[in-house]
């Protein structure tokens, strides 16, 4: 058998930190980057006599996420104690949900027309953090994260490649951000991914022995780790060896996975209902009220942008990748009136300017109306496209303090359409480039664009390129 004879089977478990100010069962802050062990109290430290109280806002956010994923909210869910012993788990158990989760079902797209099923969404608290690289020969514990509210989104084993897993994660991140459930920041641990990976002979319906991969700090890392583990399992099976159920850590530097521990099963955790927390009963009318507050979701927005603004599906996918980016584009398109031109500028010059400075769309200094003003200048023939970019850069630096026309005038970039001035530039360029003129007259039509570009350069971007093209043709006979 070869690698093509084996089918990859992947299910993802995604832990998402909910966007609350305080923890799930106490009033401690969830702010990132505080001094170690300062956002703690008797409840999240697990001190005797301390009792948990459920954060209502965390429930609201968990329900919003579940509804956006197409899940069915369960009218009653139950918090349970998941028992295991680890240095960063102060109580010796984690409060989670087991056989009575918050939501069931749902799906996300991945691949060509494929739906990846969602098994369940449940609420739980986060553990603390073990730090192994701060003190030589010692491990440190920071319990600031202990008790942070999470939802765990468990997919069906429907994914068949690392690329599909990456697309699934991108679509999930979009929904979490659109619904304002989480900032989904992987660098800060707000979104963490575990992958359950197995293989089976192609065409076989039986699931193979799975391994779980942890420590993937980006979607690209998740894609690569899954493919590496697929290749490892194929090598084992081809050699007549068996795959051992275990937890693996992804080592991106070495491009490999390494064993961490044997894989636990649910019975190892000795789940039982938490005696300090009553069942979570949700009123159906309240659930429907939450559904009514959901925003337009990414897939629907993509379809609308294509229909409303006449842009391509590929451009719509880029523009809806983040809600603030889509909002900015739509505001520019509305102010200017041409969605295609707005898309070209936002995806091109705006994103390039931000990427060069490692900024996000939320940091863009030019209001949508300011960018629309630049586009208006091009449409109205007041400036050339080249000159418009100079106006744009100037407006970005001064944070849109002046309207586009005023900036164009201050920079002397108003487009020149007077034939006298244009012919002066045209004749000068033709005199400076006699070889190109000769070859153009001999039939090398592509050189016309070269000469137009030289005229634009000589004019400082102020020449009307359409009229320049006409005058060059006339001069060339």
């Amino acid at each position: 058998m070869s690698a093509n004879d084996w089918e990859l089977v992947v299910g993802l478990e995604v832990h998402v930190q909910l966007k609350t100010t305080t923890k799930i069962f106490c009033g401690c802050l969830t702010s990132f980057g505080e001094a170690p062990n300062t956002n703690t109290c008797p409840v999240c430290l697990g001190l005797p006599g301390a009792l948990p109280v459920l954060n209502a806002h965390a429930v609201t956010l968990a329900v919003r996420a579940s509804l956006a994923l197409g899940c069915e909210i369960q009218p009653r869910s139950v918090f349970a104690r998941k028992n295991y012993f680890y240095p960063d788990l102060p109580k010796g158990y984690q409060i989670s949900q087991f056989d009575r989760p918050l939501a069931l079902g749902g799906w996300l797209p991945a691949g060509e027309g494929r739906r990846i099923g969602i098994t369940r969404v449940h609420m739980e608290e986060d553990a603390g953090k073990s730090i192994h690289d701060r003190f030589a020969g010692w491990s440190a514990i920071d319990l600031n994260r202990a008790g942070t509210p999470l939802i765990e989104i468990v997919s069906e084993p429907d994914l068949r490649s690392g690329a599909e897993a990456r697309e699934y994660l991108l679509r999930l991140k979009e929904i979490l951000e659109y619904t304002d459930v989480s900032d989904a920041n992987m660098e800060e641990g707000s979104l963490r991914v575990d992958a359950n990976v197995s293989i089976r002979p192609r065409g076989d319906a039986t699931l193979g022995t799975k391994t779980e991969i942890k420590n993937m700090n980006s979607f690209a890392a998740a894609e690569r780790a899954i493919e590496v583990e697929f290749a490892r399992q194929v090598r084992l099976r081809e050699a007549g060896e068996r795959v051992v159920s275990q937890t693996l850590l992804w080592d991106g530097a070495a491009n490999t996975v390494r064993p961490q521990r044997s894989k636990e099963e649910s019975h190892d955790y000795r789940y039982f209902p938490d005696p300090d927390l009553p069942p979570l009963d949700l009123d159906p009318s309240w659930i429907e009220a939450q559904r009514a507050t959901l925003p337009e979701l990414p897939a629907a927005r993509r379809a609308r942008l294509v229909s409303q603004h006449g842009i391509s599906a590929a451009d719509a996918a880029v523009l809806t990748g983040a809600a603030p980016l889509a909002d900015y584009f739509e505001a520019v398109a509305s102010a200017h009136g041409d969605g295609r031109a707005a898309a070209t500028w936002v995806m091109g010059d705006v994103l390039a300017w931000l990427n060069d400075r490692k900024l996000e769309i939320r940091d863009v200094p030019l209001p949508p109306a300011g960018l629309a003003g630049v586009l208006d200048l091009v449409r109205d023939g007041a400036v050339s496209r080249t000159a418009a970019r100079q106006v744009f850069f100037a407006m970005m630096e001064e944070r849109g303090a002046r309207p586009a026309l005023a900036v164009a005038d201050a920079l002397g970039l108003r487009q020149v359409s007077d034939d006298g001035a244009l012919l002066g530039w045209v004749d000068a360029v033709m005199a400076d480039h006699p070889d190109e003129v000769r070859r153009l007259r001999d039939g090398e039509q592509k050189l016309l664009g070269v000469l137009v570009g030289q005229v634009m350069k000589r004019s400082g971007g102020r020449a009307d390129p359409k009229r320049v093209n006409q005058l060059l043709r006339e001069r060339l006979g």
Side-chain angles (χ1 to χ4, degrees), residues 17 23 36-37 39-40 44-46 84 86-95 125-132 140-150 188-189 192:
Q17 179 176 330
K23 296 184 179 182
N37 299 306
N39 288 346
T40 57
C44 52
L45 290 176
Y84 63 98
Y86 207 70
D88 57 16
L89 194 67
K91 294 193 294 286
Y93 62 85
Q94 177 191 28
I95 300 178
E125 62 177 345
D126 205 349
K129 184 178 182 180
S130 297
I131 302 168
H132 305 295
I141 303 296
D142 181 6
L143 295 177
N144 279 348
R145 204 168 66 185
T148 297
L150 303 177
E188 296 182 1
R192 305 195 293 276

Side-chain angles (χ1 to χ4, degrees), residues 153-169:
I153 302 167
V154 182
S155 85
E156 292 287 321
D158 291 343
L159 295 156
R160 295 294 176 264
S161 70
E164 274 194 354
R166 183 177 186 172
E167 184 178 352
Y168 171 93
L169 292 169

Side-chain angles (χ1 to χ4, degrees), residues 8 10 160-167 219 222-224 226-227:
L8 172 65
V10 179
R160 295 294 176 264
S161 70
E164 274 194 354
R166 183 177 186 172
E167 184 178 352
F219 294 166
E223 178 180 6
R224 183 61 187 149
I226 289 167
E227 296 296 345

